Amino acid sequence: MNDLFGEIRSILSRPPDATRWRHLCQLVDDASDHRAIITQALPYIIAHLPPWPEQIRVASPDAHRRLLEEEHIPPSLAMCTHINLSHNAMVSSKRLTTNRLCQLADSSLFLASATRLDLRGQPIGNHALHTLADSPHFAHLHTLHLDNTCIDLRGL
């Protein structure tokens, strides 16, 4: 684990760029000790991310895929300012379900740093939107795309 933290510190000590961002996300998501990543590495990383431009801090296609296909939430999502879960951005054949979005809204990892969330084309419905809106992390969002999400006027 010390090697991983050393590599993380090395990335964060250099000027931000998209290649370093992708490498950082991959390190965090591929780490075998998720508990140490969540309790130790993520707070350290997030504290050092303010100088990184928002346009670089985008969730990777692999994180999107893992989000839909695996039980755990990719830890890198907690570092991302832009999360694009629209049907056009997905690299998985699975859709974001109402139940999965409700699970995500309850997680401290999902939306922890997000300022933009794109859910276009995902059939989430009113209940999932209400659950998401009740999440303490929802307040950070500046942009939320909801076209074609099966949300009606009562949901808004």
Side-chain angles (χ1 to χ4, degrees):
M1 189 53 103
N2 287 337
D3 292 341
L4 176 63
F5 282 105
E7 197 164 354
I8 288 169
R9 282 195 282 290
S10 174
I11 291 170
L12 293 171
S13 69
R14 297 184 183 139
D17 69 23
T19 301
R20 287 189 187 97
W21 175 255
R22 286 189 299 273
H23 187 192
L24 182 62
C25 289
Q26 184 177 3
L27 283 174
V28 168
D29 287 344
D30 291 344
S32 58
D33 188 350
H34 285 286
R35 178 180 228 79
I37 288 295
I38 292 167
T39 61
Q40 298 170 8
L42 278 178
Y44 176 83
I45 292 168
I46 291 170
H48 288 82
L49 288 178
W52 288 63
E54 284 196 10
Q55 62 268 25
I56 291 176
R57 294 175 57 189
V58 176
S60 71
D62 188 53
H64 294 154
R65 181 194 57 74
R66 288 179 181 200
L67 183 68
L68 294 177
E69 295 178 359
E70 298 176 8
E71 183 64 29
H72 78 279
I73 298 169
S76 67
L77 286 180
M79 308 179 317
C80 297
T81 56
H82 294 87
I83 301 175
N84 185 354
L85 298 175
S86 71
H87 70 284
N88 291 333
M90 301 314 292
V91 293
S92 172
S93 60
K94 291 190 175 185
R95 301 285 258 173
L96 184 64
T97 64
T98 298
N99 288 341
R100 183 61 168 159
L101 187 59
C102 290
Q103 286 176 333
L104 297 174
D106 290 338
S107 168
S108 62
L109 289 180
F110 186 66
L111 297 180
S113 298
T115 58
R116 293 183 185 185
L117 177 61
D118 190 340
L119 297 171
R120 287 180 280 197
Q122 295 290 351
I124 60 170
N126 294 348
H127 175 69
L129 181 63
H130 290 169
T131 302
L132 185 62
D134 289 340
S135 169
H137 305 295
F138 191 77
H140 299 286
L141 290 178
H142 298 272
T143 305
L144 177 62
H145 295 285
L146 294 172
D147 299 351
N148 302 314
T149 52
C150 300
I151 296 169
D152 58 28
L153 289 177
R154 291 173 297 173
L156 298 175

